[in-house]
Every structure is written in structure tokens, then in C-alpha cells.
Amino acid sequence: MPSPTRAVIQDIVLPPFDPLNRRAAELRAQGHRVISLGQAVPYFPPPEAAMQAARTALDAPDVHRYATDPGLPTLRTALAERLAAMAGTRIVNDDVIITAGANHAFTLALATLVDPGDEVILPGPYFTNHQMAVRRQGAIAVEAPVADRESFSVRWSDIQPYLSLWTKAIVLCNPSNPTGAPIDPAEGARIVKEAAARGIVVISDETYMHFVYEGAHWSAASLRAWRENVVVIGTFSKSFGMMGWRVGFLLADAAICEQAIKVQDEMIICAPAISQIMAEAAVRESWNYPASFHDELRTRRRILADGLSKIPCARWTPTSGGMFTFVQIDGCTDSTQLSNELLDVAHLVTIPGAAFGQSGEGFLRLSYGYAGAAELVEATERLRQFFAR
């Protein structure tokens, strides 16, 4: 009997995060001490202001009802003010939609702006969920490998050769997941301007905007003409340790948001009300909360760098953003197999570079956002012993 599932869905490959985590759980149940350098999640909880706001909200009748489709007006206003101050441009609450996380914001942007058959350029290595969402939309994901294989900073020269008459959007991930590389402001501005001249939208995923350790974060919304062709997506998951609360945002010109609301209503109606209340407290009272963890994250990054430097086949040039390393393994042609072997033999969760596109093959992504300093020391020693076999 033929499957009723759409062919495009059948052809999409589920990323390895969940299968690896399930296997890790099985190994832990067998008594093994598994260290996870897998999902790029922070080790810290939500700020106390957000937690207290959630506790108080439980007694408010409105928290059990729908919020307005674009989100709580007070949260949208507070976030618009924060983003405007960060970017140095004019942003108002009508430019903001509150979503159920950044992945939802990205899907919302695609559903609003990209038609089936359009081409979407993904500088590679790319965030795997971006490629999945593009394909699910019926559009064509075009991987544009980043030429700089050490810093992985995206340049216009990486993107230009992959433009065509069917290019509808360019996706930037700044700082990058999986590499942690921020975009050089001059290159970012050029990409946005060149795209605008061709009628191409730039979707800038700025999930890790609060995790740039050298210099300041550059936002695609910092350009004076950003409204012409820029959509920014973000989340409160990483900045405020709110992964399970599923709340993020989409920033675009109010005219785009007016159309995107139609999709939002059809998809989810609104983001969870209590999550929005938490997010508003975090935005208003704890906007700089993530910066208080930078020193610890720098320390963890240095521990990984020191440990990796003792492994002859592992090569990594530290990048200045995110909470992960993207490590090239000499001689590796199947990073998926290598990642599975590391889990079964060394009891380490790593993410294969192939999950982030063809240009990620031969690499492993190792996160330092959750594992503590002692675990990172042990993890790099396990890696050393594994590759010394």
C-alpha cells in the first residue's frame, strides 16, 4: 500500500541529535559514564526575574488563555527597544512577532517569503534545521561552502557564485552554528546590500547574539535600510536558559509581519503565554544576564583548545562566538560513523560535521556550553586515547 506521506518529507533526513541522545541514555542505563558535547545548550538556568514572573503568572487567569497572535504587546515593545538599542536603528513593536522558538521563526519567515521552487542559499556548513525547513517548504536548498576553512567567516565571495535567477533568500547564521564564527560587519553589510540590489531577502539567524566573546555582535538589522530585505530571527532559549519554554522572535518590517501573522495564526495561533511572560521579565530586567557567563564559557573554550592541541589529528582554530568548536579530523571521511564510534567506545556524545552539510564532512562539533570544566578535561583525554589507538 502506498505511503500517504509526502515525498519531500520522506527525503528529509532527521538530524542526529535525538538518536545520539537516545543512545547515550541507553549507555548510561547500562552503567557507563557518558559525557555529552552534543547539543549546544547553556549550563545556566533562567534568570531569577523570569522564574519569579512565571510563578506569579500561574495565578493570573489570562496566562491560561490565548495571547494575541503576534505576541504580548508589552513583550514586543520591550524587545523592540532592546533590539533597537543593540542595532542602533529604529525598531518598533509592529516589527516583532513572538514565536515558539527560533526554528519556528525561521519556518514562519520561509512560509511568508519563499515559494516552492525558489532557491535559498545556505553558506556551509549550515545549521541543519535551516536546510530541513527550506526543503519542507518545497524550496531548493543551495549549499555555498565557506572558503575560509579556519575562521569560517562568511563572505560575499562565498555566496555570489551560487546566485541564480531563482534565488529568493540568503540565510546567515551569526554567530554560526556549528562553527561559532561571527560575520565580519563589513562583509555582512555587503551581503545585505548586494542581496537588496537583486531583490533577495536575507534571513539572519542571530540565536547566539549574546555569545560573542571578542568585540560586539553585529546584527543585520543595524543597517539603516534593513527594512528593505532583512528578517532577523532569534530566541530566548540560549540567552536566558529557556530551551524548554519554547519562545523566540521574528524581526522584520511591519508590512512583512502583517503577512506573517496569517501563517502564525494557522500554525500555532500564538506562542505560550507563560513563556512570553518569562521572556518579558528577562528582557526588561536581565538583558545582560548572558554576559555574566562569558568568563566561564571562555575558560571552557580554552580547556577544549588545550586538550585538542594534544591530539595530532584534530585541528581547530578557536572562533569568537557561540558555545561550540568545529574540529577537523585528519583522514575522516565519514563523520557520522566516527561520531557513533566515539559514543560506543569512548562514551562521548559529539555531533558529526556531515549533519551540517557536505562542507561539514570530516569535522566534529563539540559543545562547551553544558559540560563543566572537569568533564571537558576528561572528554579531551578520552578523545586523545581514542585517536591514539
Side-chain angles (χ1 to χ4, degrees):
M1 180 178 177
S3 170
T5 311
R6 291 174 61 209
V8 67
I9 298 297
Q10 291 178 330
D11 289 341
I12 292 174
V13 178
L14 191 70
F17 309 112
D18 194 51
L20 285 168
N21 287 335
R22 289 201 305 270
R23 176 59 180 152
E26 292 173 359
L27 289 169
R28 289 190 181 100
Q30 295 169 13
H32 298 289
R33 185 168 178 270
V34 178
I35 298 176
S36 178
L37 306 182
Q39 284 184 290
V41 296
Y43 68 94
F44 50 81
E48 179 55 31
M51 297 288 283
Q52 186 56 50
R55 295 185 192 104
T56 303
L58 289 174
D59 293 325
D62 285 350
V63 79
H64 307 297
R65 304 187 179 113
Y66 295 125
T68 57
D69 284 6
L72 297 176
T74 50
L75 169 56
R76 293 165 66 212
T77 296
L79 182 59
E81 291 172 354
R82 291 294 194 184
L83 294 175
M86 174 182 281
T89 52
R90 180 177 176 272
I91 297 171
V92 298
N93 66 347
D94 283 343
D95 301 325
V96 175
I97 296 175
I98 306 303
T99 63
N103 278 343
H104 172 227
F106 186 74
T107 300
L108 184 61
L110 290 178
T112 304
L113 298 167
V114 175
D115 291 321
D118 287 341
E119 293 182 358
V120 177
I121 295 179
L122 305 175
Y126 51 70
F127 179 47
T128 184
N129 292 72
H130 290 165
Q131 184 258 16
M132 293 173 68
V134 169
R135 296 192 62 193
R136 200 276 308 165
Q137 179 67 14
I140 300 167
V142 179
E143 182 174 356
V146 175
D148 186 338
R149 305 296 284 176
E150 290 190 0
S151 73
F152 285 100
S153 187
V154 180
R155 297 182 174 89
W156 170 247
S157 58
D158 298 321
I159 294 169
Q160 188 175 18
Y162 295 90
L163 297 174
S164 78
L165 294 175
W166 297 275
T167 303
K168 189 63 172 289
I170 297 168
V171 178
L172 301 180
C173 195
N174 181 34
S176 163
N177 182 0
T179 70
I183 292 176
D184 176 78
E187 284 292 334
R190 184 177 182 190
I191 291 168
V192 172
K193 291 175 182 177
E194 295 280 4
R198 295 164 172 80
I200 298 170
V201 66
V202 173
I203 304 175
S204 182
D205 183 340
E206 301 183 18
T207 289
Y208 293 94
M209 66 169 65
H210 280 107
F211 299 99
V212 177
Y213 308 115
E214 285 83 39
H217 170 69
W218 174 83
S219 174
S222 64
L223 302 176
R224 183 161 50 180
W226 72 270
R227 293 175 181 278
E228 292 181 11
N229 71 320
V230 167
V231 174
V232 174
I233 65 173
T235 181
F236 303 101
S237 294
K238 307 303 170 21
S239 299
F240 303 111
M242 293 176 56
M243 291 79 68
W245 292 91
R246 309 313 305 136
V247 59
F249 65 88
L250 178 148
L251 168 66
D253 182 72
I256 293 176
C257 289
E258 185 178 1
Q259 300 305 312
I261 287 299
K262 301 174 186 176
V263 185
Q264 171 98 328
D265 185 83
E266 174 267 321
M267 275 186 175
I268 63 164
I269 300 178
C270 62
I274 195 165
S275 302
Q276 295 190 58
I277 290 169
M278 282 188 72
E280 181 177 348
V283 169
R284 290 189 182 277
E285 302 180 43
S286 305
W287 184 250
N288 295 319
Y289 176 73
S292 65
F293 302 100
H294 281 192
D295 285 346
E296 172 63 22
L297 289 168
R298 288 190 188 97
T299 297
R300 297 181 183 200
R301 182 180 60 174
R302 185 172 63 251
I303 290 171
L304 262 183
D306 290 346
L308 291 169
S309 69
K310 299 179 177 69
I311 304 173
C313 68
R315 292 188 288 120
W316 174 55
T317 300
T319 50
S320 59
M323 49 186 69
F324 24 73
T325 65
F326 203 57
V327 183
Q328 186 168 11
I329 306 299
D330 291 343
C332 175
T333 58
D334 189 341
S335 56
T336 300
Q337 179 180 338
L338 175 59
S339 187
N340 286 328
E341 288 180 3
L342 279 166
L343 182 52
D344 285 334
V345 175
H347 302 143
L348 282 176
V349 179
T350 62
I351 304 300
F356 307 100
Q358 292 182 357
S359 54
E361 184 56 278
F363 289 76
L364 293 173
R365 194 193 73 177
L366 313 178
S367 172
Y368 54 87
Y370 191 77
E375 286 185 304
L376 291 172
V377 171
E378 183 175 346
T380 54
E381 176 59 19
R382 291 188 193 182
L383 284 169
R384 189 193 66 78
Q385 292 180 10
F386 177 89
F387 288 116
R389 295 179 307 167

